[in-house]
Amino acid sequence: CSQTNNLSLKYAETITEKELKENLYVYASDYFEGRETGSIGQKRAVDFLQRFYKTISISAAKGTNNYLQQMELLINDNIIETENVAAVIEGREFPNEFIILSAHLDHIGINENGDIYNGADDDGSGNVALLEMAEAFKIAVDEGFRPKRSLIFLHLTGEEKGLLGSKYYTENPLYPLKNTIANLNIDMIGRLDPKRESKDPNYIYLIGSDKLSQELHDVSDSINKSYTQLMLDYKYNDDNDPNRFYYRSDHFNFAKNNIPVIFYFNGTHEDYHKPTDTPDKINYTILEKRTKLIFHTAWEIANREKPIKLNL
């Protein structure tokens, strides 16, 4: 087992704040015009993601059109053509068991004054984390360490319109939901929560980890202790949380289908859903550390002897 641990550490080292920052300054740039679902800016974002996976030679998910899961969504009485982006690394031992790593690719576009909502934290941070993890897994594959289970890197559209891209995926799955072991969903991991009592930046909010699988929660906890030593804060995991964050990001559509989830989140801040959510405000050191936690967790789930079990 220690060899697997050493490998996880080795490949996590390829996840760097420098690359996260370079990608986020592109992904949250004005050129993408706030990535509103169906807009030209959202198509540019999709093109950027597609090219990234092509460049590092990660395969398009099956059933996609060159990485794109195309759909028509009804939004405010308009039919909008949009797409999820899905790439896959096939497992070597259990290729028909899937772990989905997800982030939403869209944001809220441009307001009537022409202000661009760049969405650097929401959810640029999640998208660049996915890209860095995909690259780390691909380097491992190229060096002979393919994961036992398959990994799907899923960038979801229409989240800001009501979790529509993840709803579409779970109703039209590219891979069987019954063989989907877990969903690790990333939505805002680049900033700090100003309302948090502790000012130590080394934390992450985890939501949903124990709701369907205590084993997933326990694995996540032990991986963090072994590798990243972040403060795992479960404040928003409370069933009575008035913010209801558990119901407000894409993991919820997977949880509704009995797939164990973890939602990684930094909390809201003064720039949440404002044009001021820009890449210069991101804490890249903590973004790297949180991305590594998710990478180590995915590595462990993908390489365990047995799949994560649901609660009885």
Side-chain angles (χ1 to χ4, degrees), residues 174-225:
L174 299 171
Y175 300 93
L177 296 184
K178 68 177 192 311
N179 298 350
T180 303
I181 305 296
N183 167 229
L184 306 182
N185 181 52
I186 313 169
D187 195 353
M188 301 174 54
I189 60 162
R191 296 278 298 266
L192 304 178
D193 178 356
K195 298 180 291 296
R196 217 168 160 265
E197 282 174 22
S198 163
K199 294 305 165 206
D200 182 349
N202 288 292
Y203 79 92
I204 182 91
Y205 293 119
L206 295 196
I207 302 172
S209 61
D210 61 351
K211 293 198 190 299
L212 291 168
S213 171
Q214 184 63 39
E215 186 174 29
L216 178 60
H217 175 89
D218 295 344
V219 164
S220 158
D221 198 51
S222 75
I223 287 294
N224 179 58
K225 284 195 180 80

Side-chain angles (χ1 to χ4, degrees), residues 208-267:
S209 61
D210 61 351
K211 293 198 190 299
L212 291 168
S213 171
Q214 184 63 39
E215 186 174 29
L216 178 60
H217 175 89
D218 295 344
V219 164
S220 158
D221 198 51
S222 75
I223 287 294
N224 179 58
K225 284 195 180 80
S226 300
Y227 295 110
T228 35
Q229 291 95 46
L230 286 162
M231 166 70 201
L232 302 184
D233 191 329
Y234 297 100
K235 170 182 175 176
Y236 294 123
N237 192 48
D238 185 333
D239 288 338
N240 301 314
D241 169 36
N243 299 286
R244 293 176 61 80
F245 288 128
Y246 178 63
Y247 305 94
R248 286 172 52 187
S249 189
D250 288 311
H251 61 279
F252 184 60
N253 282 315
F254 293 97
K256 279 204 292 203
N257 284 279
N258 222 25
I259 295 164
V261 301
I262 303 178
F263 170 23
Y264 298 88
F265 180 54
N266 50 218

Side-chain angles (χ1 to χ4, degrees), residues 14-42:
T14 69
I15 295 167
T16 66
E17 56 179 284
K18 177 177 179 289
E19 287 182 15
L20 288 161
K21 185 174 188 175
E22 283 169 4
N23 284 327
L24 191 52
Y25 264 84
V26 176
Y27 199 74
S29 65
D30 286 355
Y31 179 66
F32 291 81
E33 297 182 357
R35 307 188 301 275
E36 184 172 14
T37 302
S39 69
I40 183 76
Q42 184 247 300

